[in-house]
Amino acid sequence: MERLDKFLCDSGVGTRSQVKPILKAGRVTVDGTVIRDGSAKIDPQRQEIALDGSILGGKRRIVVMLNKPAGYITATEDPKEPTVMELLPPQYRDLKPIGRLDKATEGLLLFTNDGDLLHRLISPKKEVPKIYYARHEGAATDADVAAFAAGLTLRDGTVCLPARLEPLGAGESLITVCEGKYHQVRRMMASRGMTVSYLERRQEGALRLGDLPRGQIRELMAEEIDALDSQRG
Ligand code: URA
């Protein structure tokens, strides 16, 4: 649930102060009933909000960022394991995860109600660069950096696209990959003898996890969604 005035602002109707007189004038309806109180709580995914009779938000694109904790699988449902959906407030439970993080991996995971955006962002041809922080055995060498840049071949013969390995010191690195194969970063690091003990996704394209606390979510602003959409491959 969210405030009606916030929803109207996010839908581009105007600023908070512009929206107030629009509401006062009785131009906004929720499921056909005139609502004048901007603080009224609404559920845009289930209710029909209209301005002067035109429905708003029917196509409102929602993208939510979660700072995923370890211990949750990326799936919409599972009979045995806790899923990332359990970490979303009820009004976001219809959203779908964009890509996936392993059960043990933490960090930035996006969800959306826009199927087209979802498919564009996970398309293997157009994947945006994703930056991971890893703690691992050993220390990455210049040879490891070069092998990542050339495109690694994993132990099972899978060939990876060129990727960036940035050693941060003994046992710590940043890894940037533009694809999302199963356990990709862990397998890439393992192929160079550096078993990963901790993995966190920190960035997708220009979108950073920032200081969002672990286990918390925030809804992206319209400009952030547009930027995410336009920077893909
Ligand atoms: N690579 C991995 O190995 N695990 C993830 O969760 C994401 C990328």
Side-chain angles (χ1 to χ4, degrees), residues 100-102 105 132 183-187 199:
R100 60 187 302 282
L101 289 179
D102 301 334
T105 302
Y132 294 86
H183 285 185
Q184 178 149 3
V185 173
R186 293 173 195 276
R187 291 195 298 152
L199 191 61

Side-chain angles (χ1 to χ4, degrees), residues 68 74 100-106 130 132 177 179-188 196 199 201:
K68 178 192 173 297
T74 308
R100 60 187 302 282
L101 289 179
D102 301 334
K103 185 175 174 188
T105 302
E106 302 197 316
K130 298 179 188 72
Y132 294 86
V177 295
E179 51 185 349
K181 296 187 198 306
Y182 177 70
H183 285 185
Q184 178 149 3
V185 173
R186 293 173 195 276
R187 291 195 298 152
M188 287 168 96
V196 169
L199 191 61
R201 181 152 68 198

Side-chain angles (χ1 to χ4, degrees), residues 19-30:
V19 154
K20 216 170 175 178
I22 292 174
L23 281 161
K24 280 254 156 63
R27 294 169 57 192
V28 176
T29 54
V30 177

